[in-house]
Amino acid sequence: MIDVIVVGGGPTGLMLACELRLHDVHVVVLEKLTEPTAQSRGQGLHARSVEMMDQRGLLDRFVAVSKKFQVGGLFGGITKPWPDQLDTAHPYGLAHPQPVTERLLGERALELGAEIRRGCEVAGLSQDEDGVSVELADGTRLRSRYLAGCDGGRSLVRKQLGVGFPGEASTVETLLGEMELTEDPDTIAAVIAEVRKTQLRFGATANPDGSYRVGVPADGVAEDRASEPTLEEFKQQLRATAGTDFGAHSPRWLSRFGNATRQAEQYRVGRVLLAGDSAHIHPPTGGQGLNLGIQDAFNLGWKLAAAVRGWAPEGLLDTYHAERHPVGAAVLANTRAQITLLGTDPGPTALRELLSKLMDFEEVNRYVTGLITAVGVRYDFGEGHDLLGLRMRDVPLKRGRLYELMHDGRGLLLDRTGRLSVEGWADRVDHVVDVSEDLDVPAVLLRPDGHVAWVGEDQEELLERLRRWFGDAD
């Protein structure tokens, strides 16, 4: 029997496969596409996702093929200078096409021993007390202990579970694609600058090879949302919006997206869990979608591995929904707000001007940037120290950096006292006695995802938290 079947080989599914393999979980990723997609809706990693890649030793791979960017806000078309004192040692994002993210995560998953099967479309599934049965479109049947649905906004897994997906349907639509433009680059830039004074859903960005990534408002909402727009439809909307089609030709891919906003009512049903767009869809404003899915996987991976390996304390898997559902709801809320801000009517325009002025205040800019980049996410672990529930930023230690100690996806006790012990949990939790001027507390217990599970110096309190998050001692 397979330990975990992951349905969907996009960034969320591949990140989850990597996390599971760190704990020697037998993982099979089922992807219905026979070849990686060339479409690039997600355009890179925000600061929290950058931190995650560093925590797993992958950051150098991403930096080598990315361009760093520092833009504060990124909210509803409003950009500001990067705020001072954002709580991260990685104050930047990494811009690169989504296929690059998929390639790097796929390579890492294979290195770790995951099995990725392409051309495998799931046709149905059922579960019982012992596992999940999966039927593929070609009639093949598979069996696993758990299954993760990472198969996108039209998730078959979610539909098979009967999980509600409430929210709002699209009321506006945007065409997106990559193509060649024959118009002079200076003219293109001038037209874009003029049109974007009033229409922020329009834009064209040059790719390194000279092609362009173009977005333009559609004429209404298509009846068949899954249908690709034609080049002629794209050119027609360019002319209607910008007065020119820039000589667009030779499209590499064309797609459409709307402002539909929905969230699964449950992220877990028995042995089946939902992550990424299977659990939530929203407009791409702020570039949060791909990052939200990767962060779902980072939260879920170690918990699912604990269940497979047999040391998960009671209720651990349920904390996935408890922690990530509110985070998803918050992203849906801020994208709803951003879509309003992108409107061209006098009301949204006035609101955008007001918020832009407010974001000139450092504290507001820092809050909004933390919202978009997810460095401000805090899980509810109950009352306690101010750090409790936050993820720990990378801090320098006598022996390197904190994130260098987290590559294996284990828990970590960072101990300045030298008096504490994780005896009985050494197979799950590392104990590092170190002194850091950047750590002004006696000791912190970090979960494998880097969130602070305990702060203090009392051994009995530590034992209680170890049992809560890492199960019984050996």
Side-chain angles (χ1 to χ4, degrees), residues 150-161:
C150 307
D151 52 335
R154 298 182 177 89
S155 171
L156 175 76
V157 173
R158 186 188 64 243
K159 294 173 182 176
Q160 289 277 304
L161 290 176

Side-chain angles (χ1 to χ4, degrees), residues 376-390:
V377 169
R378 181 178 198 157
Y379 300 139
D380 184 6
F381 293 171
E383 296 183 0
H385 193 277
D386 288 345
L387 289 175
L388 195 65
L390 292 171

Side-chain angles (χ1 to χ4, degrees), residues 75-279:
F75 195 88
I78 301 170
T79 57
K80 295 291 179 178
W82 188 267
D84 294 330
Q85 299 179 344
L86 192 68
D87 181 32
T88 179
H90 297 74
Y92 57 87
L94 292 176
H96 55 259
Q98 180 171 326
V100 172
T101 299
E102 294 187 9
R103 175 175 62 81
L104 293 179
L105 290 179
E107 289 173 354
R108 180 55 174 162
L110 291 173
E111 289 172 7
L112 291 170
E115 185 179 348
I116 302 175
R117 302 182 188 178
R118 290 195 164 274
C120 292
E121 182 176 0
V122 173
L125 62 91
S126 61
Q127 63 174 315
D128 53 41
E129 292 183 358
D130 300 318
V132 185
S133 298
V134 177
E135 182 178 354
L136 304 184
D138 64 3
T140 302
R141 294 180 180 274
L142 301 173
R143 180 80 171 162
S144 63
R145 298 175 65 183
Y146 291 92
L147 182 142
C150 307
D151 52 335
R154 298 182 177 89
S155 171
L156 175 76
V157 173
R158 186 188 64 243
K159 294 173 182 176
Q160 289 277 304
L161 290 176
V163 172
F165 203 43
E168 307 88 45
S170 290
T171 57
V172 297
E173 189 171 87
T174 302
L175 306 183
L176 181 68
E178 290 189 353
M179 63 200 70
E180 304 287 338
L181 303 181
T182 58
E183 186 62 81
D184 176 72
D186 291 338
T187 301
I188 294 173
V191 172
I192 292 170
E194 183 62 29
V195 175
R196 282 184 59 84
K197 290 179 181 179
T198 55
Q199 180 51 270
L200 292 173
R201 288 167 52 214
F202 168 76
T205 304
N207 294 321
D209 63 0
S211 65
Y212 280 81
R213 177 185 173 91
V214 183
V216 63
D219 181 16
V221 178
E223 291 186 13
D224 182 4
R225 296 297 321 291
S227 66
E228 294 183 356
T230 64
L231 177 61
E232 183 52 41
E233 180 183 357
F234 217 108
K235 293 171 68 172
Q236 180 179 335
Q237 291 309 116
L238 285 173
R239 292 191 292 267
T241 302
T244 174
D245 61 19
F246 302 112
H249 67 95
S250 304
R252 297 180 179 179
W253 56 267
L254 302 173
S255 67
R256 63 179 84 242
F257 66 86
N259 63 331
T261 307
R262 300 183 182 276
Q263 185 174 26
E265 292 178 329
Q266 299 166 271
Y267 282 16
R268 179 192 178 194
V269 178
R271 291 178 173 270
V272 182
L273 302 105
L274 302 173
D277 289 352
S278 302

Side-chain angles (χ1 to χ4, degrees), residues 277-345:
D277 289 352
S278 302
H280 38 68
I281 60 170
H282 54 84
T285 45
Q288 299 169 91
L290 181 150
N291 290 271
L292 182 61
I294 285 176
Q295 291 154 22
D296 284 346
F298 207 67
N299 181 284
L300 174 59
W302 69 277
K303 297 173 181 178
L304 191 51
V308 171
R309 306 307 299 172
W311 58 259
E314 184 178 356
L316 181 65
L317 264 185
D318 290 328
T319 67
Y320 169 61
H321 172 91
E323 292 172 4
R324 293 306 296 174
H325 194 276
V327 173
V331 171
L332 265 62
N334 85 51
T335 55
R336 287 185 179 105
Q338 291 185 73
I339 285 293
T340 298
L341 290 170
L342 292 175
T344 57
D345 292 335

